[in-house]
Amino acid sequence: MDMTDTSPEQIDVKNQPLEWRDGDMPYSPAFGDHFYCQTDGRLECGHVFLSGNGLPYRWTGRDSFKIGELGFGTGLNFAETWRRWKELRADGQHLHFMSFELYPMQRDEIDRALAHWSEIDAERAALAAAWPDRPEGIVSLDLDRQTRLSVVCGAAIDGVSAAAADFDAWYLDGFAPSRNADMWSEQLMRLVFEKTVSGGSFATYAAAGFVRRNLIAAGFALERRPGFAGKREMLCGVKP
Ligand SMILES: C[S@@+](CC[C@H](N)C(=O)[O-])C[C@H]1O[C@@H](n2cnc3c(N)ncnc32)[C@H](O)[C@@H]1O
């Protein structure tokens, strides 16, 4: 069967079975998409999610900073963000990274995917060691004295509705919009906006017209930037 034309509704995605390509690259047959770009997901995170949100620069001088993410997947974005945070943080600063994930992966799957990058060896090992055998509810991990990871298991629309309105930055990472429109709906983008502090931001590799329109309708001031690895555009924006 050609999975590229299969919508998630047509497949039982309760356990989100994974395919592994080239040994350590996870692929979701249910959504017909990879979890990150095939060129280099770690560098993509730096270009799209960190730089797109003005990070690490915006960490300067902040006692606490909260990042939200739609789609935890393998935890690659978290691991890379944590690595950068550890390099640059000052004593006393605190980062809370809260991610919303419908199909949390198993420890061995996270470990297998992240082992691709020696740069995040320490973060991979610590995350895998702390990851529960049965991730459910809210997985809350104080990974070091200055870093908390929370993974809210369930549909993002429910998790974000229930979250506090104190996010400084968002990583919108819910598979390609053409494969998973739920993660880019106007309703969800409005919730993301509502839960963002004034001056807070979002970034995404997505550039689809309906995503742009939903983010504008939600209230974000949008900017288009060159995407990662030759992709023409990505989007980022600020809550005025
Ligand atoms: C592109 S992957 C995220 C990659 C991830 N940020 C990483 O660093 O590996 C998209 C993720 O969104 C999750 N997802 C898809 N639909 C969802 C929904 N409605 N609510 C919450 N998570 C969802 C998928 O299970 C998948 O893990």
Side-chain angles (χ1 to χ4, degrees):
M1 179 165 46
D2 177 7
M3 292 298 189
T4 54
D5 287 327
T6 306
S7 73
E9 293 74 29
Q10 290 170 275
I11 289 185
D12 179 10
V13 287
K14 283 193 190 66
N15 300 310
Q16 185 161 213
L18 296 178
E19 280 177 14
W20 293 89
R21 306 223 162 147
D22 301 323
D24 57 10
M25 163 75 76
Y27 174 87
S28 167
F31 289 98
D33 202 1
H34 292 89
F35 282 72
Y36 29 77
C37 94
Q38 293 166 74
T39 314
D40 190 322
R42 189 183 69 84
L43 296 181
E44 178 188 35
C45 173
H47 178 91
V48 174
F49 296 114
L50 284 157
S51 299
N53 278 298
L55 301 174
Y57 172 77
R58 285 175 61 215
W59 287 331
T60 310
R62 294 287 304 269
D63 290 343
S64 62
F65 197 93
K66 186 165 173 184
I67 296 175
E69 178 184 53
L70 301 189
F72 186 68
T74 65
L76 173 60
N77 289 337
F78 168 70
E80 176 62 5
T81 301
W82 186 23
R83 184 186 73 81
R84 295 288 284 148
W85 170 244
K86 284 191 286 183
E87 278 176 355
L88 296 162
R89 67 194 180 185
D91 283 350
Q93 286 187 298
H94 193 267
L95 175 69
H96 188 182
F97 190 105
M98 179 174 277
S99 192
F100 299 87
E101 174 56 57
L102 186 51
Y103 305 113
M105 286 190 184
Q106 298 300 306
R107 172 187 298 113
D108 60 325
E109 295 169 332
I110 289 174
D111 198 55
R112 179 170 173 178
L114 299 189
H116 181 78
W117 291 277
S118 58
E119 297 86 346
I120 51 168
D121 256 349
E123 292 75 19
R124 172 190 54 77
L127 176 60
W131 195 247
D133 293 338
R134 291 166 56 98
E136 56 193 2
I138 301 181
V139 175
S140 197
L141 306 173
D142 284 311
L143 289 164
D144 63 41
R145 282 196 309 145
Q146 292 178 255
T147 315
R148 170 173 293 183
L149 168 67
S150 302
V151 179
V152 181
C153 303
I157 197 90
D158 300 328
V160 178
S161 316
D166 59 356
F167 290 87
D168 295 292
W170 285 93
Y171 297 1
L172 306 184
D173 193 9
F175 285 132
S178 57
R179 307 264 174 218
N180 193 19
D182 282 2
M183 280 289 252
W184 309 92
S185 68
E186 184 174 331
Q187 190 190 1
L188 185 52
M189 297 303 99
R190 283 186 185 278
L191 277 172
V192 164
F193 182 82
E194 193 185 297
K195 303 295 176 169
T196 306
V197 299
S198 288
S201 61
F202 80 85
T204 179
Y205 48 76
F210 84 92
V211 172
R212 195 162 31 83
R213 287 190 292 277
N214 289 349
L215 286 160
I216 291 170
F220 284 107
L222 248 63
E223 187 189 333
R224 297 182 205 206
R225 291 194 187 168
F228 178 70
K231 225 183 145 206
R232 198 161 56 89
E233 278 186 353
M234 58 167 272
L235 298 175
C236 49
V238 172
K239 177 168 177 169

